[in-house]
Amino acid sequence: MPFHMPGHKRAPLGGGLPWQLDITETAGFDDLKDPRGILRDLTRRAAARWSADEAWIGVNGSTGAILAGIRAMTKRGDTVLAARNCHVSVFHAMELCALRPVFLEPEWLPAWGVYGALSQRTLDNALRTHPEAALCIVTSPTYEGILSPLECPIPLFADAAHGAAIVTGNHGAHLPLPRADLAAVSLHKTLPALTQTALLLSCGPRVDREKVSREMRVFQTSSPSYVLLASVAHCLALLEEHREDWFAAWERRLDAFYAHARRWRGLRLFNAENHDRGKLLIHCDAEHAAAHLRHLKIEPEYARGNLLLLMTSCCDTDEAMARLTAALDALDAHCPPAPPPAPRPAPLPEGFLDDPSRWAVEYPPGVPTQNLS
């Protein structure tokens, strides 16, 4: 008989909501702020699954994990290197922590209007120019699925006294853990988990685990949802039981899709070695394409200008991929020419974050909206 929060008392109140799962930190259910029981076991399982030294469960998405990680790895006034196309939470962390950003420009892919990989040369030049940098923040994969050579930041910082690297891999929970001191991944974006579930994963001796734990408490609610925590546990259980078979089937579906896409005459499918193939990035008249797909009850992830993005996962079915392929075949037969790609965003000026009052109400000029999710 629950004489404690939450107020619905786990009564079956309808609405399709999981009332029975919505509990709080009662006896036997541990405490995410100081996990010592079942939640501690869950973090250990997560660390083992991603081959990390330590894992922290996030119920405030990768956003909370990124804010916590950056704050734990820096002190006020530090210089940080950050990719120009970093997640919006990185900008927020730099403002909140009074950091001095040095923005790194990844390769620009003009035919597509998106950023490509962050190159070794760009990293080398930045470190030579700013040897005082305390942290390097790399986004990989990007929203469009572009992967950067993540072996670069760690060796480059290996001889630095305090330098470290964080990978904001929000869209890469299904990929191998990148070589970084910390990596934030959103479970819900590409794996079978509920929205807002994430992990912050550490590798290497430069991570102060007590600091990270403290900052995770700062940037998460003190009343975490056990519905979300149960989702993390169930996601891990599904991966432990089905990952090999599910991911092999996913790969076969993608092989078939990419082979079929070579027949298209109007649509162009992005295909590069450093790209997560699960992100189907298509060059076309995106608004026309989105209207066509929605008419067929298919909702894309993103559609703007010349870019249509469709996200796949291990939970897609053969039937779903067949429906999508047929819909795109029909689109290829009558899709109008794609509009011009987006121009390269303007470089951010020095001192961009010096005026928090402006930053509080405006996103950085020129940042494509896809970087905000």
Side-chain angles (χ1 to χ4, degrees), residues 118 138-141 147-155 167 176-180:
L118 190 63
V138 179
T139 302
S140 181
L147 295 156
S148 287
L150 297 178
E151 68 276 7
C152 300
I154 302 303
V167 172
L177 183 67
R179 294 183 61 211

Side-chain angles (χ1 to χ4, degrees), residues 183-317:
V185 296
S186 293
L187 295 179
H188 70 93
K189 283 184 166 63
T190 57
L191 293 177
L194 294 180
T195 298
Q196 282 188 225
T197 55
L199 294 173
L200 184 60
L201 302 158
S202 75
C203 291
R206 286 183 286 199
V207 176
D208 186 326
R209 299 183 186 184
E210 290 300 318
K211 281 187 178 179
V212 175
S213 296
R214 192 263 176 185
E215 300 306 336
M216 285 295 283
R217 293 193 293 272
V218 169
F219 289 104
Q220 297 205 98
T221 175
S222 59
S223 301
S225 166
Y226 271 76
V227 176
L228 298 182
L229 294 174
S231 169
V232 174
H234 191 55
C235 178
L236 285 177
L238 290 172
L239 292 177
E240 289 161 357
E241 183 175 358
H242 300 293
R243 187 188 189 283
E244 185 174 345
D245 292 340
W246 283 5
F247 276 52
W250 186 8
E251 195 65 30
R252 287 194 299 271
R253 294 183 192 108
L254 291 175
D255 286 341
F257 183 87
Y258 277 79
H260 184 90
R262 297 192 192 104
R263 307 175 190 176
W264 294 339
R265 295 182 178 274
L267 306 181
R268 280 196 295 144
L269 178 64
F270 188 87
N271 193 5
E273 185 177 352
N274 64 330
H275 181 246
D276 172 16
R277 296 198 310 156
K279 291 289 191 76
L280 309 179
L281 186 63
I282 298 174
H283 184 280
C284 62
D285 183 328
E287 293 188 10
H288 177 91
H292 167 80
L293 293 176
R294 287 169 182 145
H295 178 72
L296 298 173
K297 309 300 183 185
I298 297 173
E299 183 65 31
E301 164 68 20
Y302 174 85
R304 178 175 295 182
N306 68 312
L307 293 179
L308 177 74
L309 180 61
L310 301 148
M311 287 180 60
T312 67
S313 86
C314 60
C315 293
D316 287 313
T317 63

